[in-house]
């Protein structure tokens, strides 16, 4: 009886090892092969159109931001040249005061304008 039990145990262990190796092979095959979806082509086309729409929107937003920032730069240069033609030059003390205060404020203002442009 004990020999029969040992023999049955060995047979079952061998079967278990074979099943585990087959399982490992099957999982390796599944991981290497791409998953085939049974979705309709219309669904893929809708996804493509949506992604393309987002891409085009980002392109338009980028162009708008570049135009907007370029316009502010042109306005600032025009104002400075007008002031220079008038013969009014700020004193070095005023430049130090405005330079230390306006730089963070200008950055903040540019950030706010960029956020507004993106939200539009």
């Amino acid at each position: 009886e004990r020999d029969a039990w040992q023999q049955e145990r060995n047979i079952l262990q061998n079967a278990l090892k074979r099943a585990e190796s087959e399982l490992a092979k099957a999982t390796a095959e599944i991981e290497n092969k791409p998953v085939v979806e049974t979705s309709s082509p219309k669904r893929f086309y809708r996804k493509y159109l949506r992604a393309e729409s987002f891409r085009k929107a980002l392109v338009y937003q980028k162009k708008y931001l570049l135009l907007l920032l370029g316009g502010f730069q042109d306005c600032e240069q025009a104002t400075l040249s007008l002031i220079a033609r008038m013969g009014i030059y700020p004193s070095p003390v005023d430049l130090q005061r405005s330079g230390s205060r306006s730089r963070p404020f200008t950055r903040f203002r540019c950030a706010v304008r960029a956020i507004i442009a993106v939200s539009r």
Side-chain angles (χ1 to χ4, degrees):
E1 187 177 316
R2 188 170 196 169
D3 289 335
W5 181 79
Q6 282 287 357
Q7 190 177 14
E8 186 181 350
R9 180 175 171 229
N10 290 336
I11 291 171
L12 290 174
Q13 283 181 344
N14 290 336
L16 179 64
K17 287 178 184 177
R18 276 184 272 142
E20 286 176 348
S21 66
E22 289 176 15
L23 178 64
K25 287 179 185 177
T27 54
E29 287 178 12
I30 290 173
E31 289 174 359
N32 290 336
K33 290 183 182 177
V35 178
V36 179
E37 293 186 22
T38 58
S39 301
S40 66
K42 289 182 181 180
R43 183 174 176 207
F44 286 123
Y45 186 68
R46 278 184 282 182
K47 283 184 177 182
Y48 164 76
L49 287 179
R50 187 170 183 220
E52 188 68 16
S53 174
F54 283 135
R55 189 188 66 78
K56 285 181 181 179
L58 287 174
V59 168
Y60 291 133
Q61 287 175 1
K62 180 182 176 183
K63 287 181 182 178
Y64 177 74
L65 284 174
L66 288 173
L67 287 173
L68 189 69
L69 292 175
F72 288 132
Q73 185 178 6
D74 292 341
C75 290
E76 186 178 353
Q77 288 175 351
T79 305
L80 290 175
S81 66
L82 178 66
I83 290 172
R85 275 186 273 144
M86 291 171 60
I88 302 170
Y89 296 102
S91 65
V93 176
D94 292 336
L95 285 174
Q96 289 175 353
R97 283 187 207 156
S98 65
S100 64
R101 288 183 188 167
S102 72
R103 185 164 182 110
F105 183 69
T106 304
R107 284 185 181 174
F108 174 74
R109 202 167 45 190
C110 288
V112 169
R113 288 180 179 149
I115 291 170
I116 291 170
V118 168
S119 69
R120 288 181 183 169

